[in-house]
Amino acid sequence: MTDHQTTARRFSTGRWRRLRSLRVRLIAVFAAVALLAAVSASGIAYWLNRDAVLKRAQDTALNDFRVSLTRNVSELPLNASCPELATLASNVASSGLTYDVVVVDPAHPECPASSDPANFTLADVPAALQSTVAKPREITENNPYPYHLYWQRQNLDGRPFVIGGTKVVPNGPTAYMFKSLENERADLNTLGWSLAIATLLALIGSALLAQAASATVLRPVKRLGDAARRLGQGHLDTRLEVEGSDELADLARTFNRAAESLHEQVEELSAREAQSRRFVADMSHELRTPLTAMTAVTDILEDEAESLDPMIEPAVRLVVSETRRLSDLVENLMEVTRFDAGTAKLVADEVDIADLIMSCIDGRAWYDAVEVDAPRGILAVVDPRRLDVVFANLIGNALKHGGSPVRVKVRQDGESVVVEVSDSGPGIPEDVLPHVFDRFYKADRGRARSEGSGLGLSIAMANAQIHGGTITAANGEVGAVFTLTLPSAPPPPPSADEAEGGPVGDAAQDKDAT
């Protein structure tokens, strides 16, 4: 992925997060509701006003047309000529309102008369209106006249008109009126723009109102989020100030009750954990004195084992082996309690990693079983005693469970030192890899009484971590690979809060792996 694509993706993700924020959604909902209400109200007002304006204009024109036609048609002689029809059209159109008239007489179909022949003719009258006007209706009690005044709205050359028509007498002429609605359309356009501006103002006002409302609602929510983050960071005394009696106040009370309950549970668990650590530490210290004496006795028994009765020798050697195993277990338990309680500090010094590895191998007589690729000159500030524990555990486990040759490779990686320990064994099962650094974990549950205690790799990991490094386990092309990564410079000393649970303590040696 290119830098441009990465930047675009980050921008898109940030924009999507902003769109999903509660504030934006509140403003969007307020704006949508306000827009819907404003558009609905404006639409209803516009259509009501439109119908009222058009109805008033057309009713006024049609009534005036009827009155003027009735007044002037009485002066029209029978079998009127074309000029007389033209005079009738002009007289009806001159009533005072602005409209034009077209008069058609069945006796003279060749000369339809118009008050404005250049603009209005019989061809401008809709065919549907002509047929409706010419069709007589049945005379009944409720309909005493066969002919009525009909009207229709029509656009002529893009201009709105109301066109009315009626037949004067059964054998008389038919008159049509053309009333322009230009003024009414202009008034309606002005009204439409006014309503659109009002809708826009309502939308802006709703957005401002939503902003104010969202600030009122989101301020307690933000305080709740900040309090939850502080609680998650370990500040168990975090509480919210309760104001009012609404749902947000109930939420704050619920949070305070949950925080109080969590505080009590954590304090109880901490007290139990401290008691457990003290018990293990006290037990280990109490066992240390008799084990020291027992170890001295077993050393003597081991020296004299060959001179003992052959029936007694296996028992003596078993006692010696189990006593040493118990002694190692006690030492490891004491080391674990030191890491958990944070009762010791690093004694760091600048050393050559290659020299430290060779010293570890020489002290345990692993010359022939280990291949070392460690160039001299790779320096790091470490605690030599603790790092010796790490190397002893990693190399010892590789020899015990992987088989020789074991390869140790050291390299510089920027500001870090990387040490890889690989073996020639079958590797580590995939289901075991996530647990190799767990305490008392053993890959083969059937080997519950193996020489190791199951604490070696966990202690090695703790020693790496107090240096600011880590250990990873994986399977290489052949066998397992443990990778130790350490910073060249020592980590900063822990603060008072961090030192309470920091993994520091005296070093202990355990050659057990999984």
Side-chain angles (χ1 to χ4, degrees):
M1 183 178 294
T2 63
D3 294 341
H4 177 72
Q5 290 174 329
T6 303
T7 303
R9 186 173 183 179
R10 290 177 179 174
F11 174 76
S12 177
T13 302
R15 182 175 60 182
W16 175 242
R17 287 177 179 173
R18 289 192 296 271
L19 291 176
R20 290 192 303 171
S21 68
L22 184 58
R23 183 186 301 275
V24 173
R25 283 185 286 173
L26 280 174
I27 294 176
V29 169
F30 268 79
V33 172
L35 182 62
L36 179 62
V39 169
S40 300
S42 299
I44 293 172
Y46 178 81
W47 285 109
L48 290 177
N49 281 276
R50 178 180 181 275
D51 289 344
V53 169
L54 294 179
K55 189 175 186 303
R56 182 174 63 250
Q58 71 188 22
D59 288 351
T60 301
L62 292 172
N63 288 334
D64 187 81
F65 171 64
R66 178 188 293 111
V67 172
S68 179
L69 181 61
T70 302
R71 183 175 62 248
N72 289 285
V73 79
S74 59
E75 301 176 358
L76 184 70
L78 295 175
N79 299 322
S81 62
C82 289
E84 290 173 335
L85 292 175
T87 301
L88 175 63
S90 300
N91 291 337
V92 174
S94 62
S95 64
L97 292 180
T98 305
Y99 56 81
D100 292 282
V101 178
V102 173
V103 178
V104 179
D105 192 342
H108 301 283
E110 75 282 357
C111 58
S114 174
S115 61
D116 186 3
N119 295 315
F120 301 99
T121 63
L122 183 62
D124 295 322
V125 180
L129 182 60
Q130 293 185 40
S131 62
T132 302
V133 170
K135 183 178 180 180
R137 294 175 61 183
E138 183 182 358
I139 297 177
T140 63
E141 181 179 355
N142 297 324
N143 181 39
Y145 304 106
Y147 297 97
H148 294 269
L149 176 61
Y150 297 94
W151 60 271
Q152 181 178 342
R153 293 189 193 128
Q154 183 77 21
N155 283 335
L156 301 177
D157 297 330
R159 295 183 299 162
F161 283 87
V162 57
I163 304 175
T166 184
K167 194 172 181 65
V168 179
V169 292
N171 297 321
T174 300
Y176 296 98
M177 175 205 70
F178 293 84
K179 169 61 179 173
S180 174
L181 298 177
E182 284 283 350
N183 294 334
E184 286 72 17
R185 183 167 70 174
D187 292 340
L188 291 175
N189 288 339
T190 302
L191 175 63
W193 278 107
S194 300
L195 292 175
I197 294 173
T199 301
L200 180 61
L201 293 177
L203 184 61
I204 296 174
S206 68
L208 296 176
L209 180 62
Q211 176 70 16
S214 64
T216 303
V217 174
L218 295 180
R219 192 178 298 113
V221 175
K222 184 177 182 300
R223 287 201 297 264
L224 177 61
D226 294 340
R229 279 190 292 271
R230 294 188 60 206
L231 192 65
Q233 293 169 356
H235 302 281
L236 300 180
D237 57 343
T238 302
R239 299 293 184 272
L240 288 174
E241 183 179 355
V242 180
E243 299 177 355
S245 58
D246 54 7
E247 290 80 0
L248 292 175
D250 291 339
L251 182 61
R253 295 189 187 93
T254 303
F255 176 86
N256 289 341
R257 287 194 293 268
E260 184 66 29
S261 176
L262 179 63
H263 193 185
E264 293 175 356
Q265 294 178 16
V266 170
E267 286 185 342
E268 182 179 356
L269 291 175
S270 299
R272 292 181 179 178
E273 183 181 3
Q275 290 176 357
S276 299
R277 285 201 302 264
R278 283 196 299 271
F279 172 76
V280 173
D282 294 343
M283 180 187 67
S284 301
H285 280 288
E286 291 297 326
L287 289 174
R288 198 172 191 181
T289 300
L291 278 175
T292 302
M294 292 173 62
T295 301
V297 173
T298 56
D299 289 342
I300 297 174
L301 289 175
E302 185 179 22
D303 294 339
E304 300 294 333
E306 294 181 356
S307 62
L308 296 175
D309 189 324
M311 299 295 293
I312 302 176
E313 181 183 356
V316 170
R317 294 192 181 279
L318 178 62
V319 170
V320 171
S321 174
E322 291 299 314
T323 302
R324 289 177 177 174
R325 181 172 178 271
L326 181 60
S327 179
D328 289 342
L329 177 60
V330 171
E331 289 296 330
N332 287 334
L333 287 175
M334 293 182 65
E335 179 70 358
V336 169
T337 57
R338 293 189 188 102
F339 280 118
D340 290 341
T343 57
K345 299 181 181 298
L346 282 173
V347 182
D349 191 12
E350 186 176 50
V351 297
D352 191 309
I353 299 298
D355 292 341
L356 197 57
I357 293 175
M358 295 306 300
S359 174
C360 174
I361 295 174
D362 292 344
R364 293 161 180 85
W366 290 337
Y367 311 102
D368 300 332
V370 181
E371 298 177 359
V372 180
D373 179 9
R376 297 186 180 277
I378 299 179
L379 305 178
V381 180
V382 296
D383 187 331
R385 191 155 51 97
R386 291 186 178 278
L387 209 55
D388 180 76
V389 172
V390 177
F391 293 149
N393 274 283
L394 296 182
I395 299 174
N397 278 321
L399 290 170
K400 183 185 301 182
H401 301 293
S404 60
V406 172
R407 291 169 293 277
V408 180
K409 182 179 180 181
V410 182
R411 58 186 172 86
Q412 185 86 36
D413 186 8
E415 297 297 325
S416 300
V417 177
V418 179
V419 181
E420 294 181 356
V421 179
S422 58
D423 58 50
S424 302
I428 304 174
E430 293 297 328
D431 59 330
V432 175
L433 275 175
H435 306 286
V436 294
F437 296 105
D438 294 349
R439 294 177 181 176
F440 298 106
Y441 185 83
K442 297 181 180 180
D444 186 358
R445 294 299 181 182
R447 297 170 54 246
R449 292 189 56 80
S450 64
E451 294 181 4
S453 62
L455 293 173
L457 286 179
S458 65
I459 293 175
M461 173 65 81
N463 277 306
Q465 289 176 343
I466 64 174
H467 283 87
T470 186
I471 305 175
T472 59
N475 288 314
E477 296 180 359
V478 177
V481 179
F482 285 82
T483 304
L484 168 66
T485 304
L486 295 172
S488 299
S495 61
D497 294 337
E498 295 173 344
E500 183 178 348
V504 290
D506 296 331
Q509 179 177 335
D510 184 354
K511 302 182 183 62
D512 175 56
T514 56

